[in-house]
Each structure stands twice: as structure tokens, then as C-alpha cells.
Amino acid sequence: MWAYLIRRLGHVLFVVAAMAVLIFLITQAMPGNVAYTIAGHFATPQQVAAIEARLGLNDPLWTQFWRWAGGALRGDMGQSLVMGRPVGPLISEALGRSALLAVSALVLTAVVGILLGVVAAVSHGRWPDRAVLAFSWLSISLPQFLIAILLVLVVAGTLGWLPATGYAPLSAGLGNWAAHLIMPVGTLVLGLVAHVASLQRSSMLEALNAPYVRAARAKGLKERTVLYRHALRNALIPTVTVLALDFGILMGGIVVVETVFSYPGLGRLLIFAVEQKDLPILQAGVLAVTVIYALANLAADIAYAFLDPRIRYGNLDVR
């Protein structure tokens, strides 16, 4: 197991290093000149040249890359070119707020999706199964930005139950803090839960008809034991795969949700960085998302091993 973990961590480091090179090259190829953005529309060529020299924008590309990569390895992501603040704290603050949305949405998606899938499979052909299928079809057909706008119009605008936009820290009160999270998290969950519920329903139906489940019933085991101990454990494996992949979709959906709800997370910060061509923020933000996504896939691979003891990685027994 430890050898497998070390090997997979090596893969993660390779992917992150390759993505760091790609991120740097792509951001350097973006149109526009940040020196003009900083200097303003009425700056003289001399002022622009002075800013370019101060920021090292005229250095060879490889020099700029090693300066950026070396700083990142030391935990120094540079300073925002527009705001003049260190990038590390800016990314940490925004990432913390985005992580709150993402983790809350992922946990709720997993719990609600698996529960709906199991209920639909156990009630196959009856009204709970049809209700879950109808909900899944409706949820899949609605894009996240439309769900967000509908929630703002109905829940915040018409009913006035929740604030439409913004973020409140926990120090502002638990109720106020939670009220600003419900609609952004709800939008993310509604956009993803249908995938999980549909897949869990299919894999659960397949597991319930498998020979090992029939054998367990033939032994006289209780139906609850057969359902949760034998069928559900194996039926969770493809769902874990989808949840890991959905995490990438979730990070993309967060950008949309944070924009609609004016939520000060990493998505809004990245949009700001693109608009202002603030490369240190953009590079650090995308690199942070890459690391998170790679670690999420690593966590999914490890989860497979614990869910299904038959899975072996190479010659290693994962147990």
C-alpha cells in the first residue's frame, strides 16, 4: 500500500510540474501588456518601460519561468501586479471560501445522490424510482447558471428568504453565515446530484442482481445486511469515480456560481486576474486548482482499494 501511495504521489508531482510549465506558457501568451494596465492609459513610453524593467518582463522566458517556479517552491508566489499585495494570502483567502462551497457541495452531492440512487434501485419500477428519474432528468437538463438565476429570482427576489449575493464571515453570526451559503451550495448540488443518483441507481440494480447477492440471500442473511453490506459496498465503486470526476466539474461550476452570487472566492479572483492580466494571481490560482484536482483523483484511487478488496495495484495487496 505504501509503495502504491509513493508511486501515485510521484505521478501527482509529475502532473503538477507539467501543468506548471503549461500554465506559465499559456499565461505568457495572453494578449495585452500588464505594464500598460499598471501605468494607466495616459502613461508615457518611458513609464511603461520602467515598469517592464522593474517587473522583469523583458527577461528571457526561461529566466522568468525559473524565477516564478523557484518562488512557488519556496511558497512565495510573488505580488499582485494590480493590487500590490502578496499573492499567497490572496489565494489562501479566496481558496478557503471556495473550498467551503466545494466541500459542502461535494459532501451533500455524495450523500443525497447515493441515497436517491439506492432508494430508486430498491423501489425499481415503483413511484419512488420514477420520482428520482424525473428529478434526475430535470436536474441534468438545467445548466448551473440558469439554476442560480432562478434561485436568485424566486428565493431571494420574490420570497425574500435569503440574501441574493455576497458573503458573510462566521464572525457575523452563524445564521447570517449559513444564509449566504445556502443558494450557492444548492446550485452546485442541483447541478451534480443527478449524475450521482443515476449512476448509483444503475450500479445498485446491477449489484442486486449479481450472483454474490443471490448467494447471500440464499444463506438466509437479513435483507438489510445483503443490501448495505454486500450490494451497496460494490455499487459504490463507480460512484466514487464519478464523484472524483465531478470535483473537476465542481471547480468549473464554482466560477459561474461565484460570479452570479458575487461570492468572493477563487473563481471571482481568477476572473479579476484575467481581466486585469494580473499574471501572478492567475498562475498561482490555476496551479492551486491543478494541485487540488490531482489530489482529489489520488484520494479516489485510494478509496477504490478500501471499497473493493479484490482490487490490487500491481503485485501489492492494498489492504
Side-chain angles (χ1 to χ4, degrees):
M1 182 65 179
W2 285 109
Y4 167 73
L5 283 176
I6 292 171
R7 190 167 65 248
R8 286 290 291 115
L9 281 173
H11 295 165
V12 168
L13 291 176
F14 174 77
V15 169
V16 171
M19 284 301 298
V21 175
L22 193 60
I23 289 166
F24 182 81
L25 293 177
I26 290 175
T27 51
Q28 291 297 319
M30 289 175 63
N33 188 334
V34 69
Y36 282 101
T37 305
I38 297 172
H41 296 294
F42 302 103
T44 63
Q46 291 76 16
Q47 289 173 318
V48 173
I51 293 173
E52 288 177 340
R54 176 168 57 85
L55 298 177
L57 300 179
N58 295 322
D59 293 341
L61 200 59
W62 66 270
T63 302
Q64 296 184 49
F65 172 75
W66 285 116
R67 186 165 57 220
W68 172 70
L73 288 174
R74 295 191 303 272
D76 179 11
M77 304 303 293
Q79 281 205 330
S80 165
L81 300 179
V82 178
M83 291 186 275
R85 292 180 54 193
V87 170
L90 282 172
I91 295 292
S92 297
E93 292 169 12
L95 186 60
R97 299 188 192 107
S98 293
L100 179 63
L101 288 186
V103 172
S104 302
L106 194 64
V107 171
L108 281 173
T109 297
V111 172
V112 176
I114 291 171
L115 180 63
L116 289 178
V118 171
V119 169
V122 173
S123 310
H124 182 53
R126 298 188 298 239
W127 73 265
D129 184 26
R130 296 191 187 97
V132 171
L133 287 175
F135 168 75
S136 299
W137 290 333
L138 180 64
S139 178
I140 289 175
S141 62
L142 291 175
Q144 280 188 332
F145 76 90
L146 185 57
I147 295 174
I149 292 172
L150 288 174
L151 286 175
V152 170
L153 289 175
V154 176
V155 179
T158 304
L159 301 175
W161 288 349
L162 294 170
T165 58
Y167 167 79
L170 194 55
S171 58
L174 183 61
N176 194 21
W177 173 76
H180 284 84
L181 292 177
I182 291 175
M183 286 202 294
V185 172
T187 301
L188 292 169
V189 171
L190 286 173
L192 293 176
V193 73
H195 296 94
V196 178
S198 298
L199 182 65
Q200 185 62 42
R201 174 183 178 275
S202 300
S203 58
M204 193 71 185
L205 283 173
E206 185 178 346
L208 288 173
N209 292 312
Y212 64 87
V213 170
R214 291 198 297 270
R217 284 173 172 153
K219 290 179 182 176
L221 295 178
K222 294 180 179 178
E223 185 62 22
R224 179 175 297 181
T225 303
V226 172
L227 186 62
Y228 294 107
R229 187 171 179 179
H230 294 274
L232 180 59
R233 182 169 181 172
N234 289 287
L236 280 176
I237 294 173
T239 305
V240 170
T241 307
V242 166
L243 284 171
L245 295 175
D246 278 352
F247 191 77
I249 300 173
L250 192 63
M251 297 305 291
I254 277 180
V255 176
V256 176
V257 167
E258 289 181 353
T259 302
V260 173
F261 292 103
S262 296
Y263 186 89
L266 186 60
R268 282 196 71 198
L269 185 63
L270 288 177
I271 289 176
F272 168 83
V274 171
E275 290 174 344
Q276 300 297 323
K277 205 173 186 300
D278 198 332
L279 296 188
I281 289 182
L282 187 58
Q283 292 164 341
V286 178
L287 187 61
V289 172
T290 301
V291 171
I292 293 170
Y293 190 62
L295 292 178
N297 278 283
L298 174 63
D301 285 347
I302 295 172
Y304 298 157
F306 289 100
L307 285 172
D308 189 350
R310 297 170 301 175
I311 296 176
R312 294 172 185 271
Y313 298 94
N315 295 323
L316 297 173
D317 191 335
V318 297
R319 288 177 292 179

